[in-house]
Amino acid sequence: MRAPARELFRDADFPASDSSLFSSFSTPLAQFREDITWRRPQEICATPRLFADNPQEGQVKQGLLGDCWLLVACAALQKSRHLLDQVFPPGQPSWRDHTYRGSFTCRVWQFGRWVEVTIDDRLPCLAGRLCFSRCQREDVFWLPLLEKVYAKVYGAYEHLWAGQVADALVDLTGGLAERWSLKDSARSSGQQDRPGGSERGLCQQLLSLKDRCPISCSVLSPRDGARELGEFHAFIVSDLRELQGRAGQSVLLLRIRNPWGRRCWQGPWRQGGEGWSRVDPADESELLSQLQEGEFWVEEEEFLREFDEVTVGFPITEAGHLQSLYSEKALCHTQELPGAWVKGQSAGGCRNNSGFPSNPKFWLRVSEPSEVFVAVLQRPRVRPAGRARAPVGDECAAWSPASFRREDYQAVGLHIWKVEKRRVSLPRVLSTPPVAGTVCHAYDREVHLRCELAPGYYLAVPSTFLKDVPGQFLLRVFSSGRVSLSALKPAAGSPAPGEALPAGEWETVQLRGSWRTGQTAGGSRNFASYPSNPCFPLSVPEGPGPRCVRVTLHQHCQDSQCHPIGFHIFQVPVDGGSQGAPGLLLQEPVVSCVPHRYAQEVSRLCHLSPGTYRVVPSTYLPDTEGAFAVTIATRIDRRSIHSQERLGQLLQEASFMAVMKT
């Protein structure tokens, strides 16, 4: 008797339908809507495999989808088996196994944690063949399955059209990536200072990194005569070789792989090109024999002229530690904390704005001399136009990578100050030059700084370029030495939402006290016992004109148990040392917060001249016990910051803009 057929998994969250392919029908992919079908690998070829025995057979090839930026990052996983195993956990079922049920599970790094994403293995096809990514051998399926995982995370395949190589590298490794411009005009982009100090120095650095790092390059706009490279297209730098030329000169060549799977470049180092006449024929034969489908050689000068940008992923050891691109030190110590820019509270804008000190602030304690990388990773501001799916759980549902376009991000920057101790005057510290800072604010998903820091305390301040722009972020620290990271909490007693202090900088102090029967519960000024109430000092510093001060009295009680409360402010005469508190409190107050109210909190905003004052909180009736806090916020004059913050280049997306016909 024949065993019943096994029921294969069908992913209801990412079905084999148009909703998983399209979000807005806004890309050239839409013209194939009626022709795309979904097939499992065993319906595409006779003997499907997950990975190839020969690495060359597993090389990435791009299909109809403009996701070269993702495929370049996927190719980087092939440099390290432990990175590939991290994303594609071992033990996946084979199509020939009895355990095969039609599902595969991958891991993607999202906003600080690895998330498992399960898909079924139904893949989009045209005329029976894969229409999106595929491997060099079309019976190898790790790449189209990983592409489908990423499409599920993003909400639809169409959302993968255009993006940043650096973002995909971070999502697939959990590490860092740097973008280095190859053009003088782009040096203001806010990127990390490049190693080498010049374009030629950069190529030498790439030569030293080639065996440790994934390296890619991008064309953002076509050059005259070089349109075959496309525009907004990303390539893989698969090798670099330095040769001795026939005339004794050094010749640096870069091997470039086009994800389109065709060489598409007819430069002087093509097969039969004039460039090979400058080197030994044995070198020519060796290097040309290494070329795979879609690869070509370019010389250093040609590379710098024709390409716009290089993206380099940080090496990651088998122990999971990042390595510095600059020193090769292992960055074994990591810390991370979430943060947010809240409109009206902590969205202070860049250093051109007077509200800059209100931005989120973090203490970084460095215990030993260290090479430190500090990164600010933004959450995108909007969800995609179509359905946004979260891989697992409610926590993940709060954030979806969406379609990662420039409009999803703010222009962000990061600055770090050295402080002598944790008790500092923030306005004074933030008025001085930082020890490190981004060149400008950039519309990138993540920006980061590299610093060589001595032991001590540092203050890190991430900011948006514009003021009062909300957003959420993750602050990440990678260090060669021991570090600790903590958030600087807002001062207690800050105004409640809807009662924010006026714009500017405020110095806040909170004082606690209590009313005790027969001791400090003197009641209101209607009673002779009033002078026994608690009395708190208030000092207004010298300055031009009166100073804006807000005094808030908060009683610690349940709403239903509130006493009527209020307060008065008295000015101490210049010779106030000869007059005791009882005599002072018999005078007329300069500010009164009365009548007494049945409320948890009462507050007054006033303008006081420089001098010494006393704040006297009271209940309406004497001998009414309770605990309270008095918060005094004084607006301070801020020394001008001589800073001209600026915006970096717009977020460039790497993807080809025309559908390839195959």
Side-chain angles (χ1 to χ4, degrees):
M1 183 176 178
R2 179 179 297 178
R6 289 174 296 181
E7 183 71 23
L8 297 181
F9 175 63
R10 302 169 72 89
D11 187 359
D13 292 329
F14 198 66
S17 66
D18 281 357
S19 65
S20 297
L21 289 171
F22 305 104
S23 58
S24 60
F25 299 95
S26 59
T27 68
L29 189 62
Q31 66 185 285
F32 299 99
R33 179 180 183 180
E34 302 299 327
D35 302 316
I36 293 177
T37 60
W38 297 76
R39 297 191 179 190
R40 297 188 189 267
Q42 65 270 39
E43 299 170 332
I44 299 173
C45 65
T47 56
R49 297 177 291 164
L50 193 55
F51 297 105
D53 298 327
N54 180 351
Q56 294 300 334
E57 295 177 348
Q59 297 292 357
V60 305
K61 290 186 69 174
Q62 185 176 355
L64 299 177
L65 189 62
D67 61 349
C68 57
W69 60 282
L70 169 62
L71 302 186
V72 166
C74 290
L77 296 178
Q78 295 180 303
K79 274 185 169 284
S80 170
R81 185 69 202 193
H82 75 273
L83 291 181
L84 186 58
D85 286 346
Q86 184 170 245
V87 172
F88 237 115
Q92 304 277 351
S94 165
W95 286 273
R96 296 187 298 272
D97 293 344
H98 71 279
T99 57
Y100 168 71
R101 292 291 183 273
S103 65
F104 289 84
T105 298
C106 293
R107 289 193 289 249
V108 181
W109 189 89
Q110 296 183 47
F111 210 71
R113 67 190 186 102
W114 287 96
V115 174
E116 287 197 345
V117 185
T118 298
I119 56 166
D120 65 38
D121 60 356
R122 294 176 293 176
L123 298 169
C125 294
L126 273 177
R129 297 180 62 194
L130 292 169
C131 61
F132 299 150
S133 74
R134 55 188 177 273
C135 294
Q136 194 79 18
R137 279 284 300 265
E138 294 191 33
D139 61 349
V140 176
F141 284 91
W142 74 270
L143 180 65
L145 290 172
L146 182 53
E147 182 184 50
K148 183 175 182 179
V149 164
Y150 218 70
K152 180 176 179 179
V153 171
Y154 271 57
Y157 276 95
E158 196 171 44
H159 278 146
L160 303 186
W161 198 289
Q164 276 292 341
V165 175
D167 295 347
L169 281 172
V170 171
D171 289 343
L172 296 178
T173 66
L176 291 174
E178 287 193 1
R179 295 165 57 203
W180 299 333
S181 171
L182 301 178
K183 298 292 176 282
D184 290 342
S185 61
R187 285 182 179 169
S188 63
S189 64
Q191 61 195 342
Q192 180 77 19
D193 289 340
R194 302 176 311 205
S198 68
E199 284 81 359
R200 295 193 180 278
L202 180 140
C203 285
Q204 289 296 322
Q205 182 73 5
L206 294 180
L207 182 62
S208 69
L209 293 173
K210 69 170 185 173
D211 295 325
R212 299 195 297 125
C213 305
I215 303 171
S216 73
C217 55
S218 300
V219 174
L220 304 180
S221 58
R223 311 285 178 271
D224 292 339
R227 294 187 180 274
E228 61 267 33
L229 288 179
E231 60 179 331
F232 297 109
H233 189 41
F235 300 77
I236 302 159
V237 179
S238 52
D239 195 11
L240 292 93
R241 291 288 296 273
E242 192 166 29
L243 306 177
Q244 190 75 20
R246 289 183 173 181
Q249 80 281 20
S250 175
V251 179
L252 181 60
L253 296 179
L254 299 93
R255 193 167 88 208
I256 310 296
R257 180 183 303 136
N258 186 349
W260 289 348
R262 53 188 174 89
R263 294 188 184 171
C264 78
W265 182 240
Q266 298 300 313
W269 296 90
R270 68 188 184 278
Q271 189 161 9
E274 62 273 19
W276 297 108
S277 63
R278 296 166 48 196
V279 300
D280 189 275
D283 290 329
E284 175 186 4
S285 177
E286 178 194 357
L287 267 59
L288 286 176
S289 69
Q290 294 176 2
L291 293 179
Q292 303 295 318
E293 186 178 0
E295 289 188 326
F296 53 93
W297 289 98
V298 296
E299 191 180 358
E300 177 182 15
E301 182 179 348
E302 185 183 9
F303 174 74
L304 296 171
R305 181 178 68 250
E306 301 299 342
F307 292 88
D308 294 284
E309 189 174 80
V310 165
T311 300
V312 182
F314 279 53
I316 299 178
T317 68
E318 292 199 13
H321 302 311
L322 265 67
Q323 280 186 306
S324 170
L325 294 177
Y326 300 79
S327 68
E328 298 189 26
K329 292 179 182 177
L331 306 174
C332 301
H333 302 271
T334 62
Q335 298 277 320
E336 62 182 43
L337 282 175
W341 296 288
V342 180
K343 183 177 180 180
Q345 297 181 35
S346 60
C350 68
R351 296 175 71 221
N352 296 340
N353 297 301
S354 62
F356 177 77
S358 67
N359 279 302
K361 293 170 282 291
F362 297 83
W363 288 119
L364 177 65
R365 184 179 183 181
V366 179
S367 300
E368 53 191 318
S370 304
E371 182 179 13
V372 181
F373 292 81
V374 185
V376 180
L377 174 68
Q378 296 186 71
R379 290 183 188 236
R381 285 188 291 165
V382 297
R383 285 176 175 259
R387 291 183 302 150
R389 301 180 188 85
V392 292
D394 293 337
E395 180 182 347
C396 200
W399 176 71
S400 171
S403 53
F404 287 169
R405 301 295 193 269
R406 172 183 169 265
E407 60 266 24
D408 296 331
Y409 299 115
Q410 298 297 340
V412 297
L414 173 67
H415 295 83
I416 298 175
W417 282 264
K418 177 77 168 66
V419 294
E420 295 305 317
K421 54 185 178 179
R422 290 183 61 158
R423 288 183 172 273
V424 296
S425 169
L426 287 176
R428 187 176 301 115
V429 168
L430 299 181
S431 296
T432 62
V435 296
T438 49
V439 176
C440 61
H441 285 66
Y443 287 103
D444 289 325
R445 189 178 80 169
E446 186 168 49
V447 299
H448 70 263
L449 288 174
R450 173 186 178 266
C451 322
E452 294 280 353
L453 298 182
Y457 282 104
Y458 295 84
L459 189 68
V461 183
S463 61
T464 57
F465 185 75
L466 296 175
K467 186 179 178 181
D468 283 334
V469 175
Q472 293 179 295
F473 62 87
L474 183 70
L475 189 73
R476 300 199 287 162
V477 177
F478 302 87
S479 174
S480 61
R482 289 175 293 120
V483 294
S484 62
L485 182 68
S486 59
L488 181 61
K489 302 297 184 184
S494 295
E499 297 183 1
L501 294 171
E505 294 177 31
W506 296 75
E507 196 168 70
T508 303
V509 62
Q510 187 180 72
L511 306 167
R512 298 182 181 275
S514 61
W515 297 291
R516 298 298 178 201
T517 300
Q519 300 177 36
T520 57
S524 66
R525 294 181 73 220
N526 297 338
F527 301 93
S529 56
Y530 176 76
S532 66
N533 279 300
C535 189
F536 297 98
L538 187 164
S539 180
V540 178
E542 294 291 336
R547 195 67 62 94
C548 190
V549 177
R550 170 172 274 173
V551 177
T552 302
L553 172 62
H554 180 96
Q555 61 174 317
H556 304 305
C557 65
Q558 300 295 326
D559 286 337
S560 60
Q561 300 172 346
C562 287
H563 303 303
I565 57 171
F567 63 83
H568 298 278
I569 301 175
F570 300 86
Q571 185 166 17
V572 178
V574 178
D575 60 349
S578 61
Q579 185 178 28
L584 175 67
L585 301 189
L586 293 176
Q587 299 180 11
E588 284 298 311
V590 294
V591 175
S592 296
C593 184
V594 291
H596 288 67
R597 292 173 49 208
Y598 285 94
Q600 274 196 324
E601 188 173 281
V602 294
S603 181
R604 275 294 305 273
L605 185 68
C606 53
H607 290 79
L608 299 176
S609 300
T612 303
Y613 299 81
R614 297 289 184 267
V615 179
V616 181
S618 62
T619 57
Y620 180 72
L621 295 175
D623 292 333
T624 303
E625 292 200 338
F628 62 85
V630 173
T631 301
I632 302 170
T634 306
R635 183 167 180 168
I636 57 176
D637 293 325
R638 176 174 180 241
R639 289 163 52 191
S640 174
I641 291 179
H642 299 290
S643 170
Q644 287 296 318
E645 296 283 2
R646 51 195 171 83
L647 285 171
Q649 67 182 23
L650 302 185
L651 183 66
Q652 298 284 1
E653 297 170 345
S655 175
F656 74 104
M657 306 307 285
V659 174
M660 290 187 57
K661 303 290 186 181
T662 57

